[in-house]
Amino acid sequence: MSVAEERADNIRMLRDSAAAVVPRGSDLARIRALRFGMPGFDRDVWREIGEMGWIGLRLPEAAGGAGLGMAEFCALAEELGRGLVPEPLVTGAMAARMLGDATPPALVDGSRIILPAWQERADTVAAGTDTRLDAGRVTGRKVFVPMAAGADAFLVTTREGLALVAADAPGVTLDCAKTQDGGHWGTVTFEAAPAEPVPGTTEAAIEEATLATAAYLLGVMEQGFAMTLEYLRTRKQFGRPIGSFQALQHRAADLKLQIALSRASIESAAATLDAGPLSPRRRAAVSRAKARAADASLLVTRQAIQLHGGIGYTDEYDVGLYLRKAMVLANAFGSAQTHRTRFAALMPEDDDV
């Protein structure tokens, strides 16, 4: 079996394994039951995710991981996006990548939830370093930690390096703000909180989590679009399926094109990251993919609501959940505008988002 064939087989198996948490047929009953609750996801499902090796997918085998590439991780994230899976795999895997060889087995197997606390301001792709680590204690403030109420510990970026802080440690205060999709962002304040300094790096982990978020958004827009096509085939007006009307066919074709362009950009960026160490061109590829996915996911899911007509605006109808997810994740790991700006700074003028 060639390398390409082996990789394609890995991707196929990962997509198939995602059915364990993304039931075929897109039954969103579990997702609806978890909305707006705390922690907003199921720890039993998280442990199952760990047992399947997804948290350590990008870790080398010597560190307890699967040693797979970004193409595989993006395929998995896409499948999770189709099912609006709320478990924070992207950021959990990000923490593992930040720690590298120092990743504790409890994080990889899902028995302990460690989430990265790396942002100190909105709309950024750079880890904040205003937080201080002094004499084994962390002082500072981190924002936009997704699903933070479910964390057992936070992996905190500081001026002096990475630090592991227990979520229930003295000096740790968590303030959660609910989001449109039924989840939440956490603002974590550390006031001389006891911490364990740990080795690790952030740059590659942030880039990979950014691209995985784009892939998740690809799954969101694909499933929202699939639901819309099914509705256009079955909803009748004047004795005909509304999908037979040329104006609606043109709108659907435009949306399909946006999805195809997003997929091409994400797959290209994944191949670029897998080809070697970080470079300006590889960062630019990530920004191109994230900008496309952010804009396209909002366009596709908003149009999906409109093409469904009045029923699409009701909360009881599932298509609206896809728009809500796109609204939350479009700006995660940097907005489309932030990534267009970064792309322009990193790439030659003859390349375009």
Side-chain angles (χ1 to χ4, degrees), residues 172-193:
V172 177
T173 303
L174 175 61
D175 182 25
C176 295
K178 293 183 178 179
T179 51
Q180 285 278 350
D181 62 344
H184 64 272
W185 298 112
T187 296
V188 192
T189 304
F190 305 95
E191 297 180 0

Side-chain angles (χ1 to χ4, degrees), residues 291-345:
R292 277 203 180 278
D295 284 342
S297 62
L298 288 172
L299 173 65
V300 170
T301 53
R302 283 170 175 160
Q303 288 289 312
I305 296 290
Q306 293 182 18
L307 287 168
H308 274 82
I311 194 174
Y313 289 87
T314 63
D315 188 66
E316 292 78 12
Y317 201 76
D318 285 347
V319 72
L321 301 182
Y322 289 87
L323 172 59
R324 289 174 178 270
K325 182 65 75 174
M327 291 170 65
V328 171
L329 291 185
N331 290 334
F333 292 94
S335 66
Q337 182 57 51
T338 289
H339 282 287
R340 280 192 288 268
T341 300
R342 191 176 80 146
F343 179 89

